[in-house]
Amino acid sequence: MPEPTAEQLEHLLDLAATDSAIRRLRTRLANLPEQEELVSLGERRRAVDDQHADVRLERDRVTTVARTHDREVGLLRERLAAEQQRLYGGDITNARELGKMEAEIGAVTSRIDDHELAELDALEQLEELEASLDDLEQELARLDQQTSEVQARLDTSAAGLLAEIAEHEVVRDRQRDDLPDDLRARYDQSAATTTGDAVGRLDGEQCTACGIGLSYADVNELLDGPPLGNCPNCRRLLVVG
């Protein structure tokens, strides 16, 4: 297998630089601030939506309570009217029976008052709950509007980065075509074993791919070897010449 030429080694380094640029762009794409903002807005919306559901359930419960008291007041008023008709209709003349009837009317009247007060309290609660629902619905609408605006910004930012990535990928494909098959295979093998640069350059006593300084003996061995070796530390391809 012939050793790569100086020109091919430069192509190899250019390819590594292009792949590095693509990785950085993809990292930016995955960590756009708008994405984090969308996550935060989504969490806030779910919390408000849960609160809205709880208040709605409480409103329905209090509505049922108010209707129950209203129904009881209606029934008791019918009973009161019937008792009063008996009392004042002249059918009952016995003093004991009259006293008993008056006591019953008093008890019914008291129960009506209790139910009316309870109904009034429920209606006041309903008013507060309806106001809370209105506030929560306005908050949900505001969050939806914010989400739409942030999503639009995210789409714009992502589109710009995707366009840059596409441009770099075209360059990368061309750079790969400039390499002979065996050198391209060595590059791919190195790239498959690391998340960073697949190729570094020997810069003095340091590998530019991992940034670790090499020993004097390692540097001499690399300099005495082929123009393309492997870093003793990170095992990435290392351009020596």
Side-chain angles (χ1 to χ4, degrees):
M1 181 187 306
E3 296 295 342
T5 65
E7 183 180 8
Q8 289 172 341
L9 291 177
E10 287 301 320
H11 287 326
L12 190 67
L13 289 168
D14 289 342
L15 173 59
T18 301
D19 273 336
S20 179
I22 291 173
R23 283 194 302 275
R24 289 194 299 271
L25 287 168
R26 285 177 175 164
T27 298
R28 285 176 57 192
L29 181 63
N31 295 279
L32 285 171
E34 292 88 354
Q35 186 62 52
E36 185 176 347
E37 193 174 352
L38 280 178
V39 171
S40 178
L41 284 169
E43 291 173 351
R44 172 61 181 159
R45 196 193 190 288
R46 283 190 292 274
V48 174
D49 197 42
D50 288 343
Q51 188 179 358
H52 183 271
D54 290 341
V55 174
R56 192 170 60 246
L57 286 174
E58 179 63 9
R59 179 201 59 186
D60 294 343
R61 185 193 69 80
V62 174
T63 297
T64 299
V65 169
R67 288 173 178 171
T68 299
H69 286 301
D70 183 65
R71 184 169 58 253
E72 287 298 320
V73 168
L75 293 173
L76 287 169
R77 287 193 180 280
E78 289 178 3
R79 179 177 173 183
L80 178 63
E83 297 291 350
Q84 288 174 334
Q85 185 176 0
R86 289 181 61 199
L87 177 64
Y88 302 119
D91 295 334
I92 300 175
T93 56
N94 183 285
R96 183 177 177 181
E97 289 295 324
L98 286 172
K100 184 177 179 181
M101 182 66 66
E102 288 174 348
E104 179 67 19
I105 288 173
V108 171
T109 301
S110 179
R111 289 179 63 189
I112 289 173
D113 290 342
D114 290 342
H115 280 292
E116 285 181 335
L117 286 173
E119 182 183 3
L120 180 61
D121 182 64
L123 291 174
E124 289 175 352
Q125 290 183 54
L126 275 177
E127 186 175 352
E128 294 175 0
L129 290 168
E130 291 290 356
S132 295
L133 284 175
D134 286 342
D135 290 342
L136 290 169
E137 286 164 4
Q138 289 179 25
E139 176 67 3
L140 287 172
R142 186 184 67 81
L143 289 169
D144 287 341
Q145 178 63 30
Q146 275 189 282
T147 299
S148 296
E149 293 171 356
V150 174
Q151 184 65 59
R153 295 205 313 270
L154 175 63
D155 291 343
T156 300
S157 298
L161 289 172
L162 287 170
E164 284 190 66
I165 290 172
E167 290 175 3
H168 280 77
E169 287 176 338
V170 170
V171 173
R172 181 188 61 188
D173 291 343
R174 185 171 63 248
Q175 290 170 334
R176 286 179 61 82
D177 290 341
D178 289 337
L179 296 176
D181 292 344
D182 59 324
L183 190 54
R184 185 165 57 245
R186 291 180 66 184
Y187 175 84
D188 290 340
Q189 183 178 12
S190 180
T193 61
T194 180
T195 57
D197 293 342
V199 183
R201 184 192 289 274
L202 182 62
D203 184 12
E205 298 178 352
Q206 189 178 65
C207 167
T208 60
C210 64
I212 297 177
L214 306 180
S215 69
Y216 180 77
D218 284 337
V219 171
N220 282 337
E221 184 177 348
L222 287 166
L223 290 174
D224 290 338
L228 181 64
N230 292 94
C231 173
N233 289 310
C234 65
R235 306 313 302 169
R236 295 180 175 96
L237 291 176
L238 187 62
V239 175
V240 179

